[in-house]
Amino acid sequence: MAKNILEILSRKGAFPKEEIVGIKREAQEHSSSVEDVLLGRGVSERDIALAKSELFGIDTYFLEGKKVPYDVLKEIPEESARFYSFIPLDRKEGVLEIGMVSPDDLKAQDALKFIGQRLGVPFRSYIITPSDFESIVQEYKSLGGEVTKALSDFEKKLELDRPAIHRGQGEKITEDAPITKMVGVILRYAVEGRASDVHIEPLGDKLRVRFRVDGVLYTGLVLPGNVHAAVVTRIKIMTNLKIDELRIPQDGRFHARVLDKEVDFRVSTFPTSYGEKVAIRILDPDAGIKTLADLGIEGRNKELLERSMQKPYGMILVTGPTGSGKSTTLYAMLQILNQEGKNIVSLEDPIEYYMPGMNQSQVRPEIGYDFATGLRHILRQDPDIIMVGEIRDKETAQLAVHAALTGHLVLSTLHTNNALGVIPRLLDMGVDPFLIPSTVILAIGQRLVRRLCAESRKEVPIEGHIKDVIARELAALPAAFKDEMEKQKFSSVFLGEASATCPKGSRGRIGVYEVLEMTPQLEKIVLEGPSETKIGAEALRQNMITMRQDGVMKALRGIIGVDELLEVI
């Protein structure tokens, strides 16, 4: 084989043909492989792998930063992978893809056949480089393996200390290394996997750990029920919550260094029939403050928002359910407004991202410092721009309106289903109708939709329920946009397809938006008695694109899938 590989590489210009004999002699003299000699002479692993591919007729697979999902990795034990130098890469259409460093190794081939028979699945082999093999092997140290080891250590410790537990000294166990490590691994895995939330849920004899990634919950781990109390107590210690209080919900937060970066964790405990459930929100600073374009605000929506932000006073309100990215939109706006000549003061719960040049304040309702109290004091701080994390009650709404009336630009969020619901919601909170036209500049409705992976999405014709959804939304578009879309004559859309880089077929999320502007016509509707029908008619007159229509247009461009859009709207 060595001779053939040397001839192939020589033919491809890696070295002169007359050096072949010298390379073989060097390998013999130093008791090393021909590959090691070639690497020492500057031949790349990639070139050697391509030569093997030509020799054996097997395709190559280059990792190039991709990750192998843990559920694929666990198909072959780590010990077998290391011993035979082969590793699982992906699972596609029922076929397990295997990477081999030495495809001519007969023992490895026999072992692979045995594993294929045991799993009951066909496999396809690829040639991989030694560096890629080592990189993938490191993935075995992920969530499952580390937590299993910590769990084993914990159970041993539990057995050794069982008399102490009967004496009521259980807290000692919760502070021991195995549980500390278990919680640490779970948090690290969540941050590494871009999860926004971790849910630790007691289910009787089991403890389920779920991760929310791109808005969807996935079960990442199932632990024995007997570790529940220790895990919850460990998290309470980190969060400085009352360990002995199990009857009522508690909230807190802690700060930790994970994967060489500082991360904030917001914790909420909640009593259930099986014990305390813990929800942990991950506030990762590396997620960063995004631009309007990054968020998916474009076209008419972007123009209206940028124009509204230039006004010296008034209210811009962002609406949507919890977890729809409202705060992220506010930060994107503040990034534009944050200039030397402006005094920006914010009230937040919590402060998710720290912005240099802004005066950010964390409200603390438990000591009487809530949004309403903070707003009263902010007005004495000579602000130009005020950001209120959320308008939750009548008092905060009235104070925010007052701030907008007295010459301040106010940015805030409301919980409504869409932009059309902003005016009815403010009226429901007790804001006088005649104040709304003078203060509200813009209402933004939004949702977050999973973004398709560009490298693994699949193009499909527009048919079935997808065709019905697209046709209905395009028919309802304002005339100007309808004509533009009809000219493009779309015949296909994209579906998410799982791959090694995108196990769920998606990566990250993007917003879909609708923007309602305060116009003289809308002012008249508010003063005469607003209804959703009248506001909707005015929105259509303004050429407002609804969130669903914005999503359909993004789906036709291959950014999101129609099914992903329907999940949230």
PDB file of all heavy atoms in Angstrom, residues 154-187:
ATOM      1  N   PHE A 154     -21.239   9.860  42.620  1.00  0.00           N
ATOM      2  CA  PHE A 154     -22.214  10.314  43.611  1.00  0.00           C
ATOM      3  C   PHE A 154     -22.869   9.128  44.321  1.00  0.00           C
ATOM      4  O   PHE A 154     -23.043   9.121  45.543  1.00  0.00           O
ATOM      5  CB  PHE A 154     -23.295  11.168  42.930  1.00  0.00           C
ATOM      6  CG  PHE A 154     -24.444  11.523  43.844  1.00  0.00           C
ATOM      7  CD1 PHE A 154     -24.288  12.476  44.840  1.00  0.00           C
ATOM      8  CD2 PHE A 154     -25.676  10.901  43.717  1.00  0.00           C
ATOM      9  CE1 PHE A 154     -25.340  12.801  45.681  1.00  0.00           C
ATOM     10  CE2 PHE A 154     -26.725  11.217  44.554  1.00  0.00           C
ATOM     11  CZ  PHE A 154     -26.555  12.169  45.535  1.00  0.00           C
ATOM     12  N   GLU A 155     -23.225   8.098  43.539  1.00  0.00           N
ATOM     13  CA  GLU A 155     -23.885   6.939  44.138  1.00  0.00           C
ATOM     14  C   GLU A 155     -22.951   6.207  45.099  1.00  0.00           C
ATOM     15  O   GLU A 155     -23.372   5.716  46.140  1.00  0.00           O
ATOM     16  CB  GLU A 155     -24.388   6.011  43.033  1.00  0.00           C
ATOM     17  CG  GLU A 155     -25.609   6.601  42.312  1.00  0.00           C
ATOM     18  CD  GLU A 155     -26.039   5.780  41.107  1.00  0.00           C
ATOM     19  OE1 GLU A 155     -25.208   4.990  40.608  1.00  0.00           O
ATOM     20  OE2 GLU A 155     -27.184   5.949  40.667  1.00  0.00           O
ATOM     21  N   LYS A 156     -21.651   6.159  44.749  1.00  0.00           N
ATOM     22  CA  LYS A 156     -20.684   5.559  45.671  1.00  0.00           C
ATOM     23  C   LYS A 156     -20.617   6.361  46.964  1.00  0.00           C
ATOM     24  O   LYS A 156     -20.596   5.815  48.060  1.00  0.00           O
ATOM     25  CB  LYS A 156     -19.303   5.498  45.019  1.00  0.00           C
ATOM     26  CG  LYS A 156     -19.190   4.487  43.887  1.00  0.00           C
ATOM     27  CD  LYS A 156     -17.809   4.574  43.250  1.00  0.00           C
ATOM     28  CE  LYS A 156     -17.714   3.652  42.038  1.00  0.00           C
ATOM     29  NZ  LYS A 156     -16.434   3.822  41.333  1.00  0.00           N
ATOM     30  N   LYS A 157     -20.588   7.670  46.816  1.00  0.00           N
ATOM     31  CA  LYS A 157     -20.523   8.555  47.981  1.00  0.00           C
ATOM     32  C   LYS A 157     -21.780   8.413  48.827  1.00  0.00           C
ATOM     33  O   LYS A 157     -21.745   8.401  50.053  1.00  0.00           O
ATOM     34  CB  LYS A 157     -20.364  10.003  47.497  1.00  0.00           C
ATOM     35  CG  LYS A 157     -20.044  10.987  48.608  1.00  0.00           C
ATOM     36  CD  LYS A 157     -18.620  10.824  49.094  1.00  0.00           C
ATOM     37  CE  LYS A 157     -18.295  11.808  50.186  1.00  0.00           C
ATOM     38  NZ  LYS A 157     -16.991  11.541  50.798  1.00  0.00           N
ATOM     39  N   LEU A 158     -22.926   8.298  48.133  1.00  0.00           N
ATOM     40  CA  LEU A 158     -24.210   8.163  48.830  1.00  0.00           C
ATOM     41  C   LEU A 158     -24.211   6.905  49.678  1.00  0.00           C
ATOM     42  O   LEU A 158     -24.676   6.887  50.815  1.00  0.00           O
ATOM     43  CB  LEU A 158     -25.329   8.110  47.791  1.00  0.00           C
ATOM     44  CG  LEU A 158     -26.749   8.400  48.256  1.00  0.00           C
ATOM     45  CD1 LEU A 158     -26.879   9.839  48.718  1.00  0.00           C
ATOM     46  CD2 LEU A 158     -27.730   8.123  47.133  1.00  0.00           C
ATOM     47  N   GLU A 159     -23.649   5.837  49.120  1.00  0.00           N
ATOM     48  CA  GLU A 159     -23.607   4.558  49.841  1.00  0.00           C
ATOM     49  C   GLU A 159     -22.696   4.661  51.062  1.00  0.00           C
ATOM     50  O   GLU A 159     -23.029   4.181  52.141  1.00  0.00           O
ATOM     51  CB  GLU A 159     -23.097   3.472  48.882  1.00  0.00           C
ATOM     52  CG  GLU A 159     -23.418   2.048  49.333  1.00  0.00           C
ATOM     53  CD  GLU A 159     -24.915   1.804  49.417  1.00  0.00           C
ATOM     54  OE1 GLU A 159     -25.655   2.245  48.525  1.00  0.00           O
ATOM     55  OE2 GLU A 159     -25.327   1.187  50.415  1.00  0.00           O
ATOM     56  N   LEU A 160     -21.551   5.327  50.890  1.00  0.00           N
ATOM     57  CA  LEU A 160     -20.605   5.461  51.997  1.00  0.00           C
ATOM     58  C   LEU A 160     -21.173   6.311  53.128  1.00  0.00           C
ATOM     59  O   LEU A 160     -20.931   6.056  54.298  1.00  0.00           O
ATOM     60  CB  LEU A 160     -19.299   6.097  51.491  1.00  0.00           C
ATOM     61  CG  LEU A 160     -18.429   5.214  50.583  1.00  0.00           C
ATOM     62  CD1 LEU A 160     -17.312   6.058  49.986  1.00  0.00           C
ATOM     63  CD2 LEU A 160     -17.855   4.045  51.372  1.00  0.00           C
ATOM     64  N   ASP A 161     -21.944   7.347  52.772  1.00  0.00           N
ATOM     65  CA  ASP A 161     -22.411   8.303  53.769  1.00  0.00           C
ATOM     66  C   ASP A 161     -23.853   8.069  54.209  1.00  0.00           C
ATOM     67  O   ASP A 161     -24.467   8.937  54.810  1.00  0.00           O
ATOM     68  CB  ASP A 161     -22.306   9.736  53.218  1.00  0.00           C
ATOM     69  CG  ASP A 161     -20.866  10.195  53.124  1.00  0.00           C
ATOM     70  OD1 ASP A 161     -20.013   9.515  53.716  1.00  0.00           O
ATOM     71  OD2 ASP A 161     -20.605  11.211  52.466  1.00  0.00           O
ATOM     72  N   ARG A 162     -24.413   6.887  53.886  1.00  0.00           N
ATOM     73  CA  ARG A 162     -25.816   6.672  54.202  1.00  0.00           C
ATOM     74  C   ARG A 162     -26.151   6.866  55.680  1.00  0.00           C
ATOM     75  O   ARG A 162     -27.171   7.478  56.012  1.00  0.00           O
ATOM     76  CB  ARG A 162     -26.253   5.277  53.736  1.00  0.00           C
ATOM     77  CG  ARG A 162     -27.740   5.122  53.750  1.00  0.00           C
ATOM     78  CD  ARG A 162     -28.237   4.041  52.837  1.00  0.00           C
ATOM     79  NE  ARG A 162     -27.781   4.101  51.485  1.00  0.00           N
ATOM     80  CZ  ARG A 162     -28.352   4.837  50.535  1.00  0.00           C
ATOM     81  NH1 ARG A 162     -29.369   5.608  50.815  1.00  0.00           N
ATOM     82  NH2 ARG A 162     -27.898   4.808  49.314  1.00  0.00           N
ATOM     83  N   PRO A 163     -25.348   6.438  56.647  1.00  0.00           N
ATOM     84  CA  PRO A 163     -25.677   6.710  58.045  1.00  0.00           C
ATOM     85  C   PRO A 163     -25.789   8.205  58.339  1.00  0.00           C
ATOM     86  O   PRO A 163     -26.638   8.636  59.095  1.00  0.00           O
ATOM     87  CB  PRO A 163     -24.501   6.089  58.809  1.00  0.00           C
ATOM     88  CG  PRO A 163     -23.957   5.052  57.880  1.00  0.00           C
ATOM     89  CD  PRO A 163     -24.141   5.610  56.512  1.00  0.00           C
ATOM     90  N   ALA A 164     -24.918   9.016  57.701  1.00  0.00           N
ATOM     91  CA  ALA A 164     -24.969  10.460  57.939  1.00  0.00           C
ATOM     92  C   ALA A 164     -26.286  11.042  57.461  1.00  0.00           C
ATOM     93  O   ALA A 164     -26.834  11.950  58.068  1.00  0.00           O
ATOM     94  CB  ALA A 164     -23.807  11.147  57.212  1.00  0.00           C
ATOM     95  N   ILE A 165     -26.824  10.508  56.344  1.00  0.00           N
ATOM     96  CA  ILE A 165     -28.089  11.019  55.828  1.00  0.00           C
ATOM     97  C   ILE A 165     -29.197  10.758  56.832  1.00  0.00           C
ATOM     98  O   ILE A 165     -30.060  11.596  57.083  1.00  0.00           O
ATOM     99  CB  ILE A 165     -28.415  10.354  54.473  1.00  0.00           C
ATOM    100  CG1 ILE A 165     -27.389  10.790  53.444  1.00  0.00           C
ATOM    101  CG2 ILE A 165     -29.813  10.703  54.017  1.00  0.00           C
ATOM    102  CD1 ILE A 165     -27.526  10.104  52.113  1.00  0.00           C
ATOM    103  N   HIS A 166     -29.197   9.581  57.459  1.00  0.00           N
ATOM    104  CA  HIS A 166     -30.223   9.263  58.457  1.00  0.00           C
ATOM    105  C   HIS A 166     -30.136  10.188  59.661  1.00  0.00           C
ATOM    106  O   HIS A 166     -31.120  10.406  60.352  1.00  0.00           O
ATOM    107  CB  HIS A 166     -30.090   7.805  58.901  1.00  0.00           C
ATOM    108  CG  HIS A 166     -30.495   6.832  57.834  1.00  0.00           C
ATOM    109  ND1 HIS A 166     -31.699   6.910  57.196  1.00  0.00           N
ATOM    110  CD2 HIS A 166     -29.831   5.765  57.294  1.00  0.00           C
ATOM    111  CE1 HIS A 166     -31.795   5.922  56.302  1.00  0.00           C
ATOM    112  NE2 HIS A 166     -30.671   5.221  56.346  1.00  0.00           N
ATOM    113  N   ARG A 167     -28.955  10.737  59.891  1.00  0.00           N
ATOM    114  CA  ARG A 167     -28.810  11.651  61.029  1.00  0.00           C
ATOM    115  C   ARG A 167     -29.167  13.081  60.634  1.00  0.00           C
ATOM    116  O   ARG A 167     -28.934  14.011  61.383  1.00  0.00           O
ATOM    117  CB  ARG A 167     -27.362  11.609  61.553  1.00  0.00           C
ATOM    118  CG  ARG A 167     -26.988  10.277  62.173  1.00  0.00           C
ATOM    119  CD  ARG A 167     -25.701  10.429  62.982  1.00  0.00           C
ATOM    120  NE  ARG A 167     -24.571  10.854  62.177  1.00  0.00           N
ATOM    121  CZ  ARG A 167     -23.757  10.017  61.536  1.00  0.00           C
ATOM    122  NH1 ARG A 167     -23.969   8.708  61.590  1.00  0.00           N
ATOM    123  NH2 ARG A 167     -22.735  10.480  60.842  1.00  0.00           N
ATOM    124  N   GLY A 168     -29.684  13.255  59.375  1.00  0.00           N
ATOM    125  CA  GLY A 168     -30.127  14.573  58.956  1.00  0.00           C
ATOM    126  C   GLY A 168     -29.010  15.467  58.488  1.00  0.00           C
ATOM    127  O   GLY A 168     -29.127  16.681  58.537  1.00  0.00           O
ATOM    128  N   GLN A 169     -27.894  14.878  58.015  1.00  0.00           N
ATOM    129  CA  GLN A 169     -26.773  15.681  57.559  1.00  0.00           C
ATOM    130  C   GLN A 169     -26.617  15.565  56.049  1.00  0.00           C
ATOM    131  O   GLN A 169     -25.536  15.378  55.520  1.00  0.00           O
ATOM    132  CB  GLN A 169     -25.478  15.244  58.266  1.00  0.00           C
ATOM    133  CG  GLN A 169     -25.542  15.459  59.771  1.00  0.00           C
ATOM    134  CD  GLN A 169     -24.321  14.909  60.467  1.00  0.00           C
ATOM    135  OE1 GLN A 169     -23.410  14.415  59.833  1.00  0.00           O
ATOM    136  NE2 GLN A 169     -24.290  15.000  61.783  1.00  0.00           N
ATOM    137  N   GLY A 170     -27.759  15.641  55.351  1.00  0.00           N
ATOM    138  CA  GLY A 170     -27.736  15.467  53.899  1.00  0.00           C
ATOM    139  C   GLY A 170     -27.032  16.566  53.158  1.00  0.00           C
ATOM    140  O   GLY A 170     -26.566  16.370  52.049  1.00  0.00           O
ATOM    141  N   GLU A 171     -26.899  17.760  53.733  1.00  0.00           N
ATOM    142  CA  GLU A 171     -26.315  18.888  53.012  1.00  0.00           C
ATOM    143  C   GLU A 171     -24.871  18.615  52.623  1.00  0.00           C
ATOM    144  O   GLU A 171     -24.395  19.076  51.612  1.00  0.00           O
ATOM    145  CB  GLU A 171     -26.405  20.154  53.869  1.00  0.00           C
ATOM    146  CG  GLU A 171     -25.970  21.398  53.118  1.00  0.00           C
ATOM    147  CD  GLU A 171     -26.153  22.644  53.954  1.00  0.00           C
ATOM    148  OE1 GLU A 171     -27.091  22.682  54.761  1.00  0.00           O
ATOM    149  OE2 GLU A 171     -25.341  23.568  53.788  1.00  0.00           O
ATOM    150  N   LYS A 172     -24.177  17.832  53.451  1.00  0.00           N
ATOM    151  CA  LYS A 172     -22.780  17.502  53.152  1.00  0.00           C
ATOM    152  C   LYS A 172     -22.675  16.818  51.788  1.00  0.00           C
ATOM    153  O   LYS A 172     -21.773  17.093  51.008  1.00  0.00           O
ATOM    154  CB  LYS A 172     -22.237  16.590  54.248  1.00  0.00           C
ATOM    155  CG  LYS A 172     -20.820  16.069  53.964  1.00  0.00           C
ATOM    156  CD  LYS A 172     -20.430  15.029  54.984  1.00  0.00           C
ATOM    157  CE  LYS A 172     -19.102  14.388  54.613  1.00  0.00           C
ATOM    158  NZ  LYS A 172     -18.770  13.255  55.458  1.00  0.00           N
ATOM    159  N   ILE A 173     -23.636  15.949  51.509  1.00  0.00           N
ATOM    160  CA  ILE A 173     -23.601  15.213  50.250  1.00  0.00           C
ATOM    161  C   ILE A 173     -23.746  16.166  49.073  1.00  0.00           C
ATOM    162  O   ILE A 173     -23.072  16.042  48.069  1.00  0.00           O
ATOM    163  CB  ILE A 173     -24.746  14.165  50.215  1.00  0.00           C
ATOM    164  CG1 ILE A 173     -24.639  13.225  51.415  1.00  0.00           C
ATOM    165  CG2 ILE A 173     -24.704  13.371  48.926  1.00  0.00           C
ATOM    166  CD1 ILE A 173     -23.368  12.453  51.490  1.00  0.00           C
ATOM    167  N   THR A 174     -24.643  17.148  49.198  1.00  0.00           N
ATOM    168  CA  THR A 174     -24.923  18.028  48.069  1.00  0.00           C
ATOM    169  C   THR A 174     -23.729  18.893  47.711  1.00  0.00           C
ATOM    170  O   THR A 174     -23.640  19.380  46.599  1.00  0.00           O
ATOM    171  CB  THR A 174     -26.112  18.952  48.382  1.00  0.00           C
ATOM    172  OG1 THR A 174     -25.732  19.843  49.438  1.00  0.00           O
ATOM    173  CG2 THR A 174     -27.325  18.179  48.782  1.00  0.00           C
ATOM    174  N   GLU A 175     -22.808  19.085  48.630  1.00  0.00           N
ATOM    175  CA  GLU A 175     -21.670  19.944  48.333  1.00  0.00           C
ATOM    176  C   GLU A 175     -20.450  19.145  47.872  1.00  0.00           C
ATOM    177  O   GLU A 175     -19.407  19.715  47.607  1.00  0.00           O
ATOM    178  CB  GLU A 175     -21.316  20.784  49.567  1.00  0.00           C
ATOM    179  CG  GLU A 175     -22.418  21.759  49.932  1.00  0.00           C
ATOM    180  CD  GLU A 175     -22.036  22.637  51.097  1.00  0.00           C
ATOM    181  OE1 GLU A 175     -20.966  22.411  51.677  1.00  0.00           O
ATOM    182  OE2 GLU A 175     -22.807  23.537  51.433  1.00  0.00           O
ATOM    183  N   ASP A 176     -20.588  17.823  47.829  1.00  0.00           N
ATOM    184  CA  ASP A 176     -19.459  17.010  47.415  1.00  0.00           C
ATOM    185  C   ASP A 176     -19.228  17.126  45.912  1.00  0.00           C
ATOM    186  O   ASP A 176     -20.119  17.475  45.146  1.00  0.00           O
ATOM    187  CB  ASP A 176     -19.683  15.545  47.809  1.00  0.00           C
ATOM    188  CG  ASP A 176     -19.378  15.304  49.281  1.00  0.00           C
ATOM    189  OD1 ASP A 176     -18.515  16.006  49.839  1.00  0.00           O
ATOM    190  OD2 ASP A 176     -20.034  14.440  49.853  1.00  0.00           O
ATOM    191  N   ALA A 177     -18.024  16.781  45.486  1.00  0.00           N
ATOM    192  CA  ALA A 177     -17.587  16.991  44.108  1.00  0.00           C
ATOM    193  C   ALA A 177     -18.498  16.369  43.047  1.00  0.00           C
ATOM    194  O   ALA A 177     -18.733  17.013  42.035  1.00  0.00           O
ATOM    195  CB  ALA A 177     -16.161  16.480  43.947  1.00  0.00           C
ATOM    196  N   PRO A 178     -19.004  15.119  43.206  1.00  0.00           N
ATOM    197  CA  PRO A 178     -19.798  14.535  42.117  1.00  0.00           C
ATOM    198  C   PRO A 178     -20.990  15.387  41.704  1.00  0.00           C
ATOM    199  O   PRO A 178     -21.210  15.597  40.510  1.00  0.00           O
ATOM    200  CB  PRO A 178     -20.243  13.185  42.694  1.00  0.00           C
ATOM    201  CG  PRO A 178     -19.191  12.847  43.692  1.00  0.00           C
ATOM    202  CD  PRO A 178     -18.790  14.147  44.291  1.00  0.00           C
ATOM    203  N   ILE A 179     -21.764  15.893  42.662  1.00  0.00           N
ATOM    204  CA  ILE A 179     -22.926  16.702  42.310  1.00  0.00           C
ATOM    205  C   ILE A 179     -22.481  18.045  41.747  1.00  0.00           C
ATOM    206  O   ILE A 179     -23.058  18.559  40.783  1.00  0.00           O
ATOM    207  CB  ILE A 179     -23.853  16.899  43.534  1.00  0.00           C
ATOM    208  CG1 ILE A 179     -24.631  15.621  43.783  1.00  0.00           C
ATOM    209  CG2 ILE A 179     -24.816  18.050  43.317  1.00  0.00           C
ATOM    210  CD1 ILE A 179     -25.580  15.224  42.666  1.00  0.00           C
ATOM    211  N   THR A 180     -21.455  18.630  42.324  1.00  0.00           N
ATOM    212  CA  THR A 180     -20.916  19.888  41.801  1.00  0.00           C
ATOM    213  C   THR A 180     -20.505  19.711  40.344  1.00  0.00           C
ATOM    214  O   THR A 180     -20.806  20.543  39.484  1.00  0.00           O
ATOM    215  CB  THR A 180     -19.705  20.339  42.633  1.00  0.00           C
ATOM    216  OG1 THR A 180     -20.117  20.511  43.985  1.00  0.00           O
ATOM    217  CG2 THR A 180     -19.133  21.642  42.115  1.00  0.00           C
ATOM    218  N   LYS A 181     -19.829  18.615  40.072  1.00  0.00           N
ATOM    219  CA  LYS A 181     -19.382  18.342  38.708  1.00  0.00           C
ATOM    220  C   LYS A 181     -20.576  18.095  37.790  1.00  0.00           C
ATOM    221  O   LYS A 181     -20.605  18.573  36.647  1.00  0.00           O
ATOM    222  CB  LYS A 181     -18.458  17.121  38.689  1.00  0.00           C
ATOM    223  CG  LYS A 181     -17.897  16.828  37.311  1.00  0.00           C
ATOM    224  CD  LYS A 181     -16.909  15.680  37.343  1.00  0.00           C
ATOM    225  CE  LYS A 181     -16.343  15.418  35.951  1.00  0.00           C
ATOM    226  NZ  LYS A 181     -15.403  14.277  35.926  1.00  0.00           N
ATOM    227  N   MET A 182     -21.576  17.354  38.279  1.00  0.00           N
ATOM    228  CA  MET A 182     -22.750  17.044  37.471  1.00  0.00           C
ATOM    229  C   MET A 182     -23.466  18.317  37.028  1.00  0.00           C
ATOM    230  O   MET A 182     -23.791  18.503  35.851  1.00  0.00           O
ATOM    231  CB  MET A 182     -23.708  16.150  38.273  1.00  0.00           C
ATOM    232  CG  MET A 182     -24.804  15.519  37.440  1.00  0.00           C
ATOM    233  SD  MET A 182     -25.933  14.536  38.457  1.00  0.00           S
ATOM    234  CE  MET A 182     -24.819  13.314  39.128  1.00  0.00           C
ATOM    235  N   VAL A 183     -23.690  19.229  37.988  1.00  0.00           N
ATOM    236  CA  VAL A 183     -24.361  20.489  37.660  1.00  0.00           C
ATOM    237  C   VAL A 183     -23.491  21.316  36.712  1.00  0.00           C
ATOM    238  O   VAL A 183     -23.977  21.905  35.746  1.00  0.00           O
ATOM    239  CB  VAL A 183     -24.686  21.279  38.944  1.00  0.00           C
ATOM    240  CG1 VAL A 183     -25.209  22.675  38.604  1.00  0.00           C
ATOM    241  CG2 VAL A 183     -25.707  20.529  39.792  1.00  0.00           C
ATOM    242  N   GLY A 184     -22.184  21.327  36.970  1.00  0.00           N
ATOM    243  CA  GLY A 184     -21.271  22.076  36.108  1.00  0.00           C
ATOM    244  C   GLY A 184     -21.274  21.571  34.683  1.00  0.00           C
ATOM    245  O   GLY A 184     -21.264  22.361  33.727  1.00  0.00           O
ATOM    246  N   VAL A 185     -21.301  20.243  34.507  1.00  0.00           N
ATOM    247  CA  VAL A 185     -21.317  19.656  33.171  1.00  0.00           C
ATOM    248  C   VAL A 185     -22.612  20.012  32.448  1.00  0.00           C
ATOM    249  O   VAL A 185     -22.617  20.351  31.259  1.00  0.00           O
ATOM    250  CB  VAL A 185     -21.138  18.124  33.244  1.00  0.00           C
ATOM    251  CG1 VAL A 185     -21.415  17.482  31.888  1.00  0.00           C
ATOM    252  CG2 VAL A 185     -19.735  17.773  33.703  1.00  0.00           C
ATOM    253  N   ILE A 186     -23.736  19.959  33.160  1.00  0.00           N
ATOM    254  CA  ILE A 186     -25.028  20.295  32.556  1.00  0.00           C
ATOM    255  C   ILE A 186     -25.021  21.745  32.062  1.00  0.00           C
ATOM    256  O   ILE A 186     -25.451  22.044  30.940  1.00  0.00           O
ATOM    257  CB  ILE A 186     -26.177  20.063  33.567  1.00  0.00           C
ATOM    258  CG1 ILE A 186     -26.371  18.557  33.797  1.00  0.00           C
ATOM    259  CG2 ILE A 186     -27.477  20.697  33.080  1.00  0.00           C
ATOM    260  CD1 ILE A 186     -27.298  18.225  34.958  1.00  0.00           C
ATOM    261  N   LEU A 187     -24.512  22.649  32.892  1.00  0.00           N
ATOM    262  CA  LEU A 187     -24.479  24.069  32.507  1.00  0.00           C
ATOM    263  C   LEU A 187     -23.518  24.302  31.345  1.00  0.00           C
ATOM    264  O   LEU A 187     -23.816  25.062  30.418  1.00  0.00           O
ATOM    265  CB  LEU A 187     -24.088  24.934  33.702  1.00  0.00           C
ATOM    266  CG  LEU A 187     -25.072  24.942  34.882  1.00  0.00           C
ATOM    267  CD1 LEU A 187     -24.545  25.819  36.005  1.00  0.00           C
ATOM    268  CD2 LEU A 187     -26.456  25.428  34.434  1.00  0.00           C
TER     269      LEU A 187
END
